[in-house]
Amino acid sequence: MNRGLGRGPAGGTGGRARAAGGRAGASQAAGRATFGQRLAAAMDAHGPLCVGIDPHPQLLERWGIADDLDGLRRFALTTLEALEGRVAGLKPQSALFERHGSRGIAAL
């Protein structure tokens, strides 16, 4: 069953129409696209892929990056820069940032 915002089994918009055509809120009143509209446009341009930013210690080590706040920032920014304009969404794994305390959260 298609529960996401991608295309339905017959090529229709599935849940996308609901996401893009919700109630008019402050964004629409100000002339800006809603989150659903921006997401639908990103998915149309780049497909439905959402990439996780998961700076777990083993991956940082394999990349040769220190498992500290500077390494966390470097990993996140490198990943963001590599994927910008290529995927519809990015999702940081917040627990892997939170393990560095409030500064790790600020790096999000």
Side-chain angles (χ1 to χ4, degrees):
M1 181 150 114
N2 183 2
R3 293 180 185 247
L5 294 175
R7 300 258 180 230
T13 59
R16 182 174 296 169
R18 285 187 301 279
R23 289 188 309 218
S27 292
Q28 287 180 325
R32 294 184 302 248
T34 65
F35 171 77
Q37 291 167 329
R38 294 190 318 270
L39 179 59
M43 289 174 62
D44 286 343
H46 305 294
L49 183 63
C50 178
V51 175
I53 300 178
D54 302 343
H56 56 82
Q58 298 85 4
L59 185 56
L60 293 174
E61 182 180 335
R62 283 197 304 254
W63 279 32
I65 297 174
D67 186 14
D68 60 13
L69 187 58
D70 289 333
L72 182 73
R73 284 187 185 125
R74 181 174 165 206
F75 178 86
L77 289 174
T78 299
T79 305
L80 178 65
E81 290 169 0
L83 296 171
E84 182 178 23
R86 297 174 187 209
V87 298
L90 297 167
K91 186 233 175 260
Q93 177 54 268
S94 63
L96 294 173
F97 288 83
E98 291 168 4
R99 67 189 182 89
H100 291 278
S102 62
R103 291 185 177 161
I105 294 169
L108 275 170

Coordinates of all heavy atoms in Angstrom, one line a residue:
M1 N 0.8 -1.2 0.0 CA 0.0 0.0 0.0 C 0.9 1.2 0.0 O 1.9 1.3 0.7 CB -0.9 0.0 1.2 CG -1.8 1.2 1.3 SD -3.3 0.7 2.2 CE -3.2 1.7 3.6
N2 N 0.6 2.2 -0.8 CA 1.4 3.4 -0.9 C 0.9 4.4 0.1 O -0.1 5.1 0.0 CB 1.2 4.0 -2.3 CG 2.1 5.2 -2.6 OD1 2.8 5.6 -1.7 ND2 2.0 5.8 -3.7
R3 N 1.7 4.6 1.2 CA 1.3 5.6 2.2 C 2.1 6.8 2.1 O 1.9 7.8 2.8 CB 1.5 4.9 3.6 CG 0.5 3.8 3.8 CD 0.8 3.3 5.2 NE -0.1 2.1 5.4 CZ -1.1 2.1 6.3 NH1 -1.3 3.1 7.0 NH2 -1.8 1.0 6.4
G4 N 3.2 6.8 1.3 CA 4.1 8.0 1.2 C 3.5 9.0 0.3 O 2.4 9.0 -0.1
L5 N 4.4 10.0 0.0 CA 4.0 11.1 -0.9 C 4.3 10.8 -2.4 O 4.2 11.7 -3.2 CB 4.6 12.4 -0.4 CG 4.2 12.9 0.9 CD1 5.0 14.1 1.3 CD2 2.7 13.2 0.9
G6 N 4.8 9.6 -2.7 CA 5.2 9.3 -4.0 C 4.0 9.0 -4.9 O 2.9 9.1 -4.5
R7 N 4.3 8.6 -6.1 CA 3.3 8.2 -7.1 C 2.6 7.0 -6.7 O 3.1 6.1 -6.1 CB 4.0 8.0 -8.4 CG 4.7 9.2 -8.9 CD 3.9 9.9 -10.0 NE 4.6 11.1 -10.5 CZ 4.0 12.2 -10.5 NH1 2.8 12.4 -10.1 NH2 4.7 13.3 -11.0
G8 N 1.3 6.9 -6.9 CA 0.5 5.7 -6.6 C 0.7 4.6 -7.6 O 1.5 4.8 -8.6
P9 N 0.2 3.4 -7.4 CA 0.5 2.3 -8.2 C 0.1 2.5 -9.7 O 0.7 1.9 -10.6 CB -0.3 1.2 -7.6 CG -1.3 1.8 -6.7 CD -0.8 3.1 -6.3
A10 N -0.9 3.3 -10.0 CA -1.3 3.6 -11.4 C -0.7 4.8 -12.0 O -1.1 5.3 -13.0 CB -2.9 3.6 -11.4
G11 N 0.3 5.4 -11.3 CA 1.0 6.5 -11.8 C 0.3 7.8 -11.3 O 0.8 8.9 -11.7
G12 N -0.7 7.8 -10.5 CA -1.4 9.0 -10.0 C -0.5 9.6 -8.9 O 0.6 9.2 -8.7
T13 N -1.0 10.6 -8.3 CA -0.3 11.3 -7.3 C -0.3 10.7 -5.9 O 0.4 11.2 -5.1 CB -0.7 12.8 -7.2 OG1 -2.1 12.8 -6.8 CG2 -0.5 13.5 -8.5
G14 N -1.1 9.7 -5.7 CA -1.1 9.1 -4.4 C -1.4 10.1 -3.3 O -2.3 10.9 -3.5
G15 N -0.6 10.1 -2.3 CA -0.8 11.1 -1.2 C -0.4 12.5 -1.5 O -0.6 13.4 -0.8
R16 N 0.3 12.6 -2.6 CA 0.9 13.9 -2.9 C -0.1 15.0 -3.0 O 0.1 16.1 -2.6 CB 1.7 13.8 -4.2 CG 2.4 15.1 -4.6 CD 3.2 15.0 -5.8 NE 4.3 14.1 -5.4 CZ 5.1 13.6 -6.3 NH1 5.0 13.9 -7.6 NH2 6.1 12.8 -6.0
A17 N -1.3 14.7 -3.6 CA -2.3 15.7 -3.8 C -2.8 16.3 -2.4 O -3.0 17.4 -2.2 CB -3.5 15.2 -4.6
R18 N -2.9 15.4 -1.4 CA -3.3 15.8 -0.1 C -2.2 16.7 0.5 O -2.5 17.7 1.1 CB -3.6 14.6 0.8 CG -4.9 14.0 0.5 CD -5.2 12.9 1.5 NE -4.2 11.8 1.5 CZ -4.1 10.8 0.7 NH1 -5.0 10.7 -0.3 NH2 -3.2 9.9 0.8
A19 N -0.9 16.3 0.3 CA 0.2 17.1 0.9 C 0.3 18.5 0.3 O 0.5 19.4 1.0 CB 1.5 16.3 0.7
A20 N 0.1 18.5 -1.0 CA 0.2 19.8 -1.7 C -1.0 20.7 -1.6 O -0.9 21.9 -1.7 CB 0.6 19.6 -3.1
G21 N -2.2 20.1 -1.4 CA -3.4 20.8 -1.5 C -4.1 21.0 -0.1 O -5.3 21.1 -0.1
G22 N -3.4 21.0 0.9 CA -4.0 21.2 2.3 C -4.6 22.5 2.5 O -4.7 23.3 1.5
R23 N -5.0 22.8 3.7 CA -5.6 24.1 4.0 C -4.7 25.2 3.8 O -3.5 25.1 3.9 CB -6.0 24.1 5.5 CG -7.2 23.2 5.8 CD -7.6 23.5 7.2 NE -6.4 23.4 8.1 CZ -6.5 22.9 9.3 NH1 -7.6 22.4 9.8 NH2 -5.4 22.8 10.0
A24 N -5.2 26.4 3.4 CA -4.4 27.6 3.2 C -4.0 28.0 4.6 O -4.8 28.2 5.5 CB -5.2 28.6 2.5
G25 N -2.7 28.2 4.8 CA -2.1 28.6 6.0 C -1.4 29.9 5.8 O -1.5 30.6 4.8
A26 N -0.5 30.2 6.8 CA 0.2 31.5 6.8 C 1.2 31.5 5.5 O 1.3 32.5 4.9 CB 1.0 31.6 8.0
S27 N 1.7 30.4 5.2 CA 2.7 30.3 4.0 C 1.9 30.7 2.8 O 2.4 31.5 2.0 CB 3.3 28.9 3.9 OG 4.1 28.7 4.9
Q28 N 0.7 30.1 2.5 CA 0.0 30.4 1.3 C -0.5 31.9 1.4 O -0.5 32.5 0.3 CB -1.2 29.5 1.2 CG -0.7 28.1 0.7 CD -1.9 27.2 0.5 OE1 -2.8 27.2 1.3 NE2 -1.8 26.3 -0.4
A29 N -0.9 32.4 2.5 CA -1.4 33.7 2.6 C -0.3 34.7 2.3 O -0.5 35.8 1.7 CB -1.9 34.0 4.0
A30 N 1.0 34.4 2.6 CA 2.1 35.2 2.3 C 2.7 35.0 0.9 O 3.7 35.6 0.6 CB 3.2 35.0 3.4
G31 N 2.1 34.1 0.2 CA 2.5 33.9 -1.2 C 3.6 32.9 -1.3 O 4.2 32.7 -2.4
R32 N 3.9 32.2 -0.2 CA 5.0 31.2 -0.3 C 4.4 29.8 -0.4 O 3.3 29.5 0.0 CB 5.8 31.2 1.0 CG 6.6 32.5 1.2 CD 7.5 32.4 2.4 NE 6.7 32.2 3.6 CZ 6.5 33.1 4.6 NH1 7.0 34.2 4.5 NH2 5.7 32.8 5.6
A33 N 5.1 28.9 -1.0 CA 4.6 27.5 -1.2 C 4.6 26.8 0.2 O 5.5 27.1 1.1 CB 5.6 26.7 -2.1
T34 N 3.7 25.9 0.4 CA 3.6 25.2 1.7 C 4.7 24.1 1.6 O 5.3 23.8 0.6 CB 2.3 24.5 1.8 OG1 2.2 23.5 0.8 CG2 1.1 25.4 1.7
F35 N 5.0 23.5 2.8 CA 5.9 22.4 2.9 C 5.6 21.3 1.9 O 6.4 20.8 1.2 CB 6.0 21.8 4.3 CG 6.9 20.6 4.4 CD1 8.2 20.7 4.3 CD2 6.3 19.3 4.4 CE1 9.0 19.5 4.4 CE2 7.0 18.2 4.5 CZ 8.4 18.3 4.4
G36 N 4.3 20.9 1.9 CA 3.9 19.9 0.9 C 4.1 20.2 -0.5 O 4.5 19.3 -1.3
Q37 N 3.9 21.4 -0.9 CA 4.2 21.9 -2.3 C 5.7 21.8 -2.6 O 6.1 21.4 -3.7 CB 3.6 23.3 -2.5 CG 2.1 23.3 -2.5 CD 1.5 24.7 -2.4 OE1 2.2 25.6 -1.8 NE2 0.4 24.9 -3.0
R38 N 6.5 22.3 -1.6 CA 7.9 22.2 -1.9 C 8.4 20.8 -1.9 O 9.3 20.5 -2.8 CB 8.7 23.0 -0.8 CG 8.4 24.5 -0.8 CD 9.3 25.3 0.1 NE 9.5 24.8 1.4 CZ 8.7 25.0 2.5 NH1 7.7 25.8 2.4 NH2 9.0 24.5 3.7
L39 N 7.9 19.9 -1.1 CA 8.3 18.5 -1.1 C 7.9 17.9 -2.4 O 8.7 17.2 -3.0 CB 7.7 17.8 0.1 CG 8.0 16.3 0.2 CD1 9.5 16.0 0.2 CD2 7.3 15.7 1.4
A40 N 6.7 18.1 -2.8 CA 6.2 17.5 -4.1 C 7.1 18.0 -5.3 O 7.4 17.2 -6.1 CB 4.7 17.9 -4.4
A41 N 7.5 19.3 -5.3 CA 8.3 19.8 -6.3 C 9.7 19.1 -6.3 O 10.3 18.8 -7.3 CB 8.4 21.3 -6.2
A42 N 10.2 19.0 -5.1 CA 11.6 18.3 -4.9 C 11.5 16.9 -5.4 O 12.4 16.4 -6.1 CB 12.0 18.4 -3.5
M43 N 10.4 16.2 -5.1 CA 10.2 14.8 -5.5 C 10.1 14.7 -7.0 O 10.6 13.7 -7.6 CB 9.1 14.1 -4.8 CG 9.4 13.9 -3.3 SD 8.0 13.3 -2.3 CE 7.7 11.7 -3.1
D44 N 9.3 15.6 -7.6 CA 9.2 15.6 -9.1 C 10.6 15.8 -9.7 O 10.9 15.2 -10.8 CB 8.2 16.7 -9.5 CG 6.8 16.4 -9.2 OD1 6.5 15.2 -9.0 OD2 6.0 17.3 -9.2
A45 N 11.4 16.7 -9.1 CA 12.7 17.0 -9.7 C 13.7 15.9 -9.5 O 14.6 15.7 -10.3 CB 13.2 18.3 -9.2
H46 N 13.7 15.3 -8.3 CA 14.8 14.4 -7.9 C 14.4 13.0 -7.5 O 15.2 12.2 -7.2 CB 15.5 15.0 -6.7 CG 16.0 16.4 -6.9 ND1 17.0 16.7 -7.8 CD2 15.6 17.6 -6.4 CE1 17.2 18.0 -7.8 NE2 16.4 18.5 -7.0
G47 N 13.1 12.7 -7.6 CA 12.6 11.4 -7.2 C 12.3 11.3 -5.7 O 12.6 12.3 -5.0
P48 N 11.8 10.2 -5.2 CA 11.4 10.2 -3.8 C 12.4 9.9 -2.7 O 12.1 9.6 -1.6 CB 10.3 9.0 -3.8 CG 10.9 8.1 -4.9 CD 11.5 9.0 -5.9
L49 N 13.7 9.9 -3.1 CA 14.8 9.5 -2.2 C 15.0 10.5 -1.1 O 15.1 11.7 -1.3 CB 16.1 9.3 -2.9 CG 17.3 8.8 -2.1 CD1 17.0 7.4 -1.5 CD2 18.5 8.8 -3.0
C50 N 15.0 10.0 0.2 CA 15.4 10.8 1.3 C 16.6 10.1 2.0 O 16.5 9.0 2.3 CB 14.2 10.8 2.3 SG 14.6 11.8 3.8
V51 N 17.7 10.8 2.1 CA 18.9 10.3 2.6 C 19.1 10.6 4.0 O 18.9 11.8 4.4 CB 20.1 10.8 1.7 CG1 21.4 10.3 2.3 CG2 20.0 10.4 0.3
G52 N 19.5 9.7 4.8 CA 19.8 9.9 6.2 C 21.2 10.4 6.4 O 22.2 10.0 5.7
I53 N 21.4 11.3 7.3 CA 22.7 11.8 7.7 C 23.0 11.2 9.1 O 22.4 11.6 10.1 CB 22.8 13.3 7.8 CG1 22.5 13.9 6.4 CG2 24.2 13.8 8.3 CD1 22.5 15.4 6.4
D54 N 23.7 10.1 9.1 CA 23.9 9.2 10.3 C 25.4 9.1 10.7 O 26.1 8.2 10.3 CB 23.4 7.8 10.0 CG 21.9 7.8 9.6 OD1 21.2 8.8 9.8 OD2 21.5 6.8 9.0
P55 N 25.9 10.1 11.4 CA 27.3 10.1 11.8 C 27.6 9.2 13.0 O 28.0 9.6 14.0 CB 27.5 11.6 12.2 CG 26.2 12.1 12.7 CD 25.2 11.3 11.9
H56 N 27.5 7.9 12.7 CA 27.8 7.0 13.8 C 29.3 6.8 13.9 O 30.0 7.0 12.9 CB 27.0 5.6 13.7 CG 27.2 4.9 12.4 ND1 28.3 4.1 12.2 CD2 26.5 4.9 11.3 CE1 28.3 3.6 11.0 NE2 27.2 4.1 10.4
P57 N 29.8 6.4 15.1 CA 31.3 6.4 15.3 C 32.0 5.6 14.2 O 33.1 6.0 13.8 CB 31.4 5.8 16.7 CG 30.1 6.1 17.3 CD 29.1 6.1 16.3
Q58 N 31.5 4.4 13.9 CA 32.2 3.6 12.9 C 32.4 4.2 11.5 O 33.4 4.1 10.9 CB 31.5 2.2 12.8 CG 31.5 1.4 14.0 CD 30.3 1.8 14.9 OE1 29.4 2.6 14.6 NE2 30.2 1.2 16.1
L59 N 31.3 4.9 11.1 CA 31.4 5.6 9.8 C 32.3 6.8 9.8 O 33.1 7.0 8.9 CB 30.0 6.1 9.4 CG 29.8 6.7 8.0 CD1 30.3 5.7 6.9 CD2 28.4 7.1 7.7
L60 N 32.3 7.5 10.9 CA 33.2 8.6 11.1 C 34.7 8.1 11.0 O 35.5 8.7 10.3 CB 33.0 9.4 12.4 CG 31.7 10.2 12.5 CD1 31.5 10.7 13.9 CD2 31.6 11.2 11.5
E61 N 34.9 7.0 11.7 CA 36.3 6.4 11.6 C 36.7 6.0 10.2 O 37.8 6.2 9.8 CB 36.3 5.2 12.6 CG 37.7 4.5 12.7 CD 37.7 3.3 13.6 OE1 36.8 3.3 14.5 OE2 38.5 2.5 13.4
R62 N 35.7 5.3 9.5 CA 36.0 4.9 8.1 C 36.3 6.1 7.2 O 37.1 6.0 6.2 CB 34.9 4.1 7.6 CG 34.9 2.7 8.1 CD 34.0 1.7 7.2 NE 32.7 2.2 7.1 CZ 31.6 1.7 7.7 NH1 31.7 0.7 8.5 NH2 30.4 2.2 7.5
W63 N 35.7 7.2 7.5 CA 35.9 8.4 6.7 C 37.2 9.2 7.1 O 37.6 10.2 6.5 CB 34.7 9.4 6.8 CG 33.6 9.1 5.9 CD1 33.1 7.8 5.5 CD2 32.6 10.0 5.4 NE1 32.0 7.9 4.7 CE2 31.7 9.3 4.6 CE3 32.5 11.4 5.4 CZ2 30.6 9.9 4.0 CZ3 31.5 12.0 4.8 CH2 30.6 11.2 4.0
G64 N 37.8 8.7 8.2 CA 39.0 9.4 8.8 C 38.7 10.7 9.5 O 39.5 11.6 9.5
I65 N 37.5 10.7 10.0 CA 37.0 11.9 10.7 C 36.9 11.6 12.2 O 36.4 10.6 12.6 CB 35.6 12.4 10.2 CG1 35.7 12.7 8.7 CG2 35.0 13.5 11.0 CD1 34.4 13.0 8.1
A66 N 37.4 12.6 13.1 CA 37.3 12.4 14.5 C 35.9 12.3 15.0 O 35.0 13.0 14.4 CB 38.0 13.5 15.2
D67 N 35.6 11.5 16.0 CA 34.3 11.4 16.6 C 34.2 12.5 17.7 O 34.2 12.2 18.9 CB 34.1 10.0 17.2 CG 32.7 9.8 17.7 OD1 31.8 10.6 17.4 OD2 32.5 8.8 18.4
D68 N 34.2 13.7 17.3 CA 34.0 14.8 18.2 C 33.1 15.9 17.5 O 32.6 15.6 16.4 CB 35.3 15.4 18.6 CG 36.2 15.9 17.4 OD1 35.7 16.1 16.3 OD2 37.4 16.2 17.6
L69 N 32.9 17.0 18.1 CA 32.0 18.0 17.5 C 32.5 18.5 16.2 O 31.7 18.6 15.2 CB 31.8 19.2 18.5 CG 30.8 20.2 18.1 CD1 29.4 19.6 18.0 CD2 30.8 21.3 19.2
D70 N 33.8 18.8 16.0 CA 34.3 19.2 14.7 C 34.1 18.1 13.6 O 33.7 18.5 12.5 CB 35.7 19.6 14.8 CG 35.9 20.9 15.6 OD1 35.0 21.7 15.6 OD2 37.0 21.1 16.1
G71 N 34.3 16.9 14.0 CA 34.1 15.8 13.0 C 32.6 15.7 12.7 O 32.3 15.4 11.5
L72 N 31.7 15.8 13.7 CA 30.3 15.8 13.4 C 29.9 16.8 12.4 O 29.2 16.6 11.4 CB 29.6 16.0 14.7 CG 28.1 15.9 14.7 CD1 27.6 14.5 14.5 CD2 27.5 16.4 16.0
R73 N 30.3 18.1 12.6 CA 30.0 19.2 11.7 C 30.6 18.9 10.3 O 29.9 19.1 9.3 CB 30.6 20.5 12.2 CG 29.8 21.1 13.3 CD 30.4 22.5 13.7 NE 29.7 23.0 14.8 CZ 30.3 23.4 15.9 NH1 31.6 23.4 16.0 NH2 29.7 23.9 16.9
R74 N 31.8 18.4 10.2 CA 32.5 18.1 9.0 C 31.7 17.1 8.2 O 31.4 17.2 7.0 CB 33.9 17.7 9.2 CG 34.6 17.4 7.9 CD 36.1 17.1 8.2 NE 36.7 16.5 7.0 CZ 37.7 15.7 7.1 NH1 38.3 15.4 8.2 NH2 38.2 15.2 6.0
F75 N 31.3 16.0 8.9 CA 30.6 14.9 8.2 C 29.2 15.4 7.7 O 28.9 15.2 6.6 CB 30.3 13.8 9.2 CG 29.5 12.7 8.7 CD1 30.1 11.6 8.0 CD2 28.1 12.6 8.9 CE1 29.3 10.6 7.5 CE2 27.4 11.6 8.4 CZ 28.0 10.6 7.6
A76 N 28.5 16.2 8.5 CA 27.2 16.6 8.2 C 27.3 17.6 7.0 O 26.5 17.5 6.0 CB 26.5 17.3 9.3
L77 N 28.2 18.5 7.0 CA 28.3 19.5 5.9 C 28.8 18.9 4.6 O 28.3 19.2 3.6 CB 29.3 20.6 6.3 CG 28.7 21.6 7.4 CD1 29.8 22.6 7.8 CD2 27.5 22.3 6.9
T78 N 29.7 17.9 4.7 CA 30.2 17.2 3.6 C 29.1 16.4 2.9 O 28.9 16.5 1.7 CB 31.4 16.2 3.9 OG1 32.4 17.0 4.5 CG2 31.8 15.4 2.7
T79 N 28.3 15.7 3.7 CA 27.1 15.0 3.2 C 26.1 15.9 2.6 O 25.6 15.7 1.5 CB 26.5 14.2 4.3 OG1 27.5 13.3 4.9 CG2 25.3 13.3 3.8
L80 N 25.8 17.0 3.3 CA 24.8 18.0 2.7 C 25.3 18.6 1.4 O 24.6 18.6 0.4 CB 24.6 19.1 3.8 CG 23.7 20.3 3.4 CD1 22.3 19.7 3.2 CD2 23.7 21.4 4.4
E81 N 26.6 19.0 1.3 CA 27.1 19.6 0.1 C 27.1 18.6 -1.1 O 26.8 18.9 -2.2 CB 28.5 20.1 0.3 CG 28.5 21.4 1.2 CD 29.9 21.8 1.7 OE1 30.9 21.1 1.3 OE2 30.0 22.8 2.4
A82 N 27.4 17.3 -0.7 CA 27.4 16.3 -1.8 C 26.0 16.0 -2.3 O 25.9 15.6 -3.5 CB 28.1 15.0 -1.2
L83 N 25.0 16.1 -1.5 CA 23.7 15.7 -1.9 C 22.8 16.9 -2.3 O 21.7 16.6 -2.9 CB 23.0 14.9 -0.8 CG 23.7 13.6 -0.5 CD1 23.1 13.0 0.8 CD2 23.6 12.6 -1.7
E84 N 23.2 18.1 -2.0 CA 22.4 19.2 -2.3 C 22.0 19.3 -3.8 O 22.8 19.2 -4.7 CB 23.1 20.5 -1.9 CG 22.3 21.8 -2.2 CD 23.1 23.0 -1.7 OE1 24.3 23.0 -1.7 OE2 22.4 24.0 -1.4
G85 N 20.7 19.4 -4.1 CA 20.2 19.5 -5.4 C 20.1 18.1 -6.1 O 19.9 18.1 -7.3
R86 N 20.4 17.0 -5.4 CA 20.4 15.7 -6.0 C 19.3 14.8 -5.5 O 19.0 13.8 -6.1 CB 21.7 15.0 -5.8 CG 22.8 15.8 -6.6 CD 24.1 15.3 -6.3 NE 25.1 16.2 -6.9 CZ 26.2 15.9 -7.4 NH1 26.7 14.7 -7.3 NH2 27.0 16.8 -7.9
V87 N 18.8 15.1 -4.3 CA 17.8 14.2 -3.6 C 16.7 15.1 -3.1 O 16.8 16.3 -2.9 CB 18.3 13.4 -2.5 CG1 19.4 12.4 -3.0 CG2 18.9 14.2 -1.3
A88 N 15.5 14.5 -2.9 CA 14.3 15.3 -2.5 C 14.4 15.7 -1.0 O 13.9 16.7 -0.6 CB 13.0 14.5 -2.7
G89 N 15.1 14.9 -0.2 CA 15.1 15.2 1.2 C 16.3 14.6 1.9 O 17.0 13.7 1.5
L90 N 16.7 15.3 3.0 CA 17.7 14.8 3.9 C 17.2 14.7 5.3 O 16.4 15.6 5.7 CB 18.9 15.8 3.9 CG 19.6 16.0 2.6 CD1 20.6 17.2 2.7 CD2 20.4 14.8 2.2
K91 N 17.5 13.7 6.0 CA 17.0 13.5 7.4 C 18.2 13.1 8.3 O 18.7 12.0 8.2 CB 16.0 12.4 7.4 CG 15.3 12.2 8.7 CD 15.4 10.8 9.2 CE 14.9 10.6 10.6 NZ 15.9 10.5 11.5
P92 N 18.5 14.1 9.2 CA 19.6 13.7 10.1 C 19.1 12.8 11.2 O 17.9 12.9 11.6 CB 20.0 15.1 10.7 CG 18.8 16.0 10.5 CD 18.1 15.4 9.3
Q93 N 19.9 11.8 11.6 CA 19.6 10.9 12.7 C 19.9 11.7 14.0 O 21.1 11.8 14.4 CB 20.4 9.6 12.6 CG 20.2 8.7 13.7 CD 18.8 8.3 14.0 OE1 18.1 8.9 14.8 NE2 18.3 7.3 13.3
S94 N 18.9 12.3 14.6 CA 19.1 13.2 15.7 C 19.9 12.6 16.9 O 20.7 13.3 17.5 CB 17.8 13.9 16.1 OG 16.9 12.9 16.6
A95 N 19.6 11.3 17.1 CA 20.3 10.7 18.3 C 21.8 10.7 18.1 O 22.5 10.8 19.1 CB 19.8 9.3 18.4
L96 N 22.3 10.6 16.9 CA 23.7 10.6 16.7 C 24.3 12.0 16.8 O 25.5 12.1 17.0 CB 24.0 10.0 15.3 CG 23.7 8.5 15.2 CD1 23.9 8.0 13.8 CD2 24.5 7.7 16.2
F97 N 23.5 13.0 16.8 CA 24.0 14.4 17.0 C 23.8 14.7 18.5 O 24.7 15.3 19.2 CB 23.2 15.4 16.2 CG 23.5 15.4 14.8 CD1 22.9 14.5 13.9 CD2 24.4 16.4 14.3 CE1 23.2 14.5 12.6 CE2 24.7 16.4 12.9 CZ 24.1 15.4 12.0
E98 N 22.7 14.2 19.1 CA 22.4 14.4 20.5 C 23.5 13.8 21.5 O 23.7 14.3 22.6 CB 21.0 13.8 20.9 CG 19.9 14.6 20.3 CD 18.6 13.8 20.3 OE1 18.5 12.8 21.0 OE2 17.6 14.4 19.8
R99 N 24.1 12.7 21.0 CA 25.2 12.1 21.9 C 26.3 13.0 22.1 O 27.1 12.7 23.0 CB 25.6 10.8 21.3 CG 26.4 10.9 20.0 CD 26.6 9.5 19.4 NE 27.4 9.6 18.2 CZ 28.7 9.5 18.1 NH1 29.4 9.3 19.2 NH2 29.3 9.7 17.0
H100 N 26.4 14.1 21.4 CA 27.4 15.1 21.6 C 26.9 16.3 22.5 O 27.5 17.3 22.5 CB 28.0 15.6 20.3 CG 28.8 14.6 19.6 ND1 30.1 14.3 19.9 CD2 28.5 13.7 18.6 CE1 30.6 13.4 19.1 NE2 29.6 13.0 18.3
G101 N 25.7 16.1 23.1 CA 25.2 17.1 24.0 C 24.6 18.3 23.2 O 24.3 18.2 22.0
S102 N 24.4 19.4 23.9 CA 23.8 20.6 23.3 C 24.5 21.1 22.1 O 23.9 21.6 21.2 CB 23.6 21.7 24.4 OG 24.9 22.1 24.8
R103 N 25.8 21.0 22.1 CA 26.6 21.4 20.9 C 26.4 20.5 19.7 O 26.4 21.0 18.6 CB 28.1 21.5 21.2 CG 28.4 22.6 22.2 CD 29.8 22.7 22.5 NE 30.1 23.8 23.4 CZ 31.2 24.0 24.1 NH1 32.1 23.1 24.0 NH2 31.3 25.1 24.9
G104 N 26.1 19.3 19.9 CA 25.8 18.4 18.8 C 24.4 18.7 18.3 O 24.2 18.7 17.0
I105 N 23.5 19.1 19.1 CA 22.2 19.5 18.7 C 22.3 20.8 17.9 O 21.7 21.0 16.8 CB 21.2 19.6 19.9 CG1 21.0 18.2 20.5 CG2 19.9 20.3 19.4 CD1 20.2 18.3 21.8
A106 N 23.1 21.7 18.3 CA 23.3 23.0 17.6 C 23.9 22.7 16.3 O 23.7 23.5 15.3 CB 24.2 23.9 18.5
A107 N 24.7 21.7 16.1 CA 25.3 21.3 14.8 C 24.3 20.9 13.8 O 24.5 21.0 12.6 CB 26.4 20.3 15.0
L108 N 23.1 20.5 14.3 CA 22.0 20.1 13.4 C 21.6 21.3 12.6 O 21.2 21.3 11.5 CB 20.8 19.6 14.1 CG 20.8 18.1 14.5 CD1 19.7 17.8 15.4 CD2 20.7 17.3 13.3

